[in-house]
Amino acid sequence: VFDQGLGDLFVIRVAGNGLSVSTNASLQYAIHHLKVKVVVVMGHEGCGAIKAAQLDEETIKKEPADLAKALLGIKSGLDEKRLSCIHDPRAHDREAVVCNVTNQVKQLAKDPCLMDLVNNDELTIVGGFYEISSGIVDFFHQVSVPGSPRLASRKREGQW
């Protein structure tokens, strides 16, 4: 997606971008040991986990226990009332993914250790939506120091 070589990005892929002990530990390792400066929570068009999380709770509870727990966690962060007003399937899909990514970014922003790094201009957290059909990534819901000169240089240098 970002035309980077092996080792240029630390990538954690999980269904629906759900935060768990292992994903948080992986993020903490990347940030604290590898000195990652930008965390991108990126959802994508046609995400099956987000679609599954929009099923009714009884259907979700029939899934294997860990999957059901993950889907219910995603479901809890979706604005189902707002999503029910979107009737175009493609727009609904995008909005559901964006809603989930925004929720995950907000969850990361609750971490005091991460926010210390953000407030010291050592870390930026941003959400993204990858439109697979076009190859375009839209970035949104950025958590960073407003007007940060480091952020501007990271953008210029292609660090995100």
Side-chain angles (χ1 to χ4, degrees), residues 58-112:
E58 289 308 311
T59 301
I60 292 172
K61 288 178 181 177
K62 293 176 185 172
E63 295 288 350
D66 288 342
L67 177 56
K69 182 178 177 182
L71 293 175
L72 290 170
I74 293 167
K75 184 179 193 66
S76 71
L78 297 177
D79 185 346
E80 290 184 314
K81 183 177 179 184
R82 191 173 91 221
L83 290 171
S84 70
C85 297
I86 303 171
H87 302 291
D88 176 73
R90 189 169 172 166
H92 184 275
D93 172 66
R94 179 186 175 92
E95 189 58 29
V97 171
V98 167
C99 184
N100 178 61
V101 168
T102 299
N103 183 54
Q104 301 306 328
V105 171
K106 287 178 180 178
Q107 294 305 311
L108 290 173
K110 291 179 182 177
D111 182 319

Side-chain angles (χ1 to χ4, degrees), residues 27-36 111 113-114 117:
L27 278 171
Q28 290 169 2
Y29 174 78
I31 293 164
H32 296 289
H33 292 272
L34 302 177
K35 306 302 180 196
V36 165
D111 182 319
C113 293
L114 295 185
L117 293 169

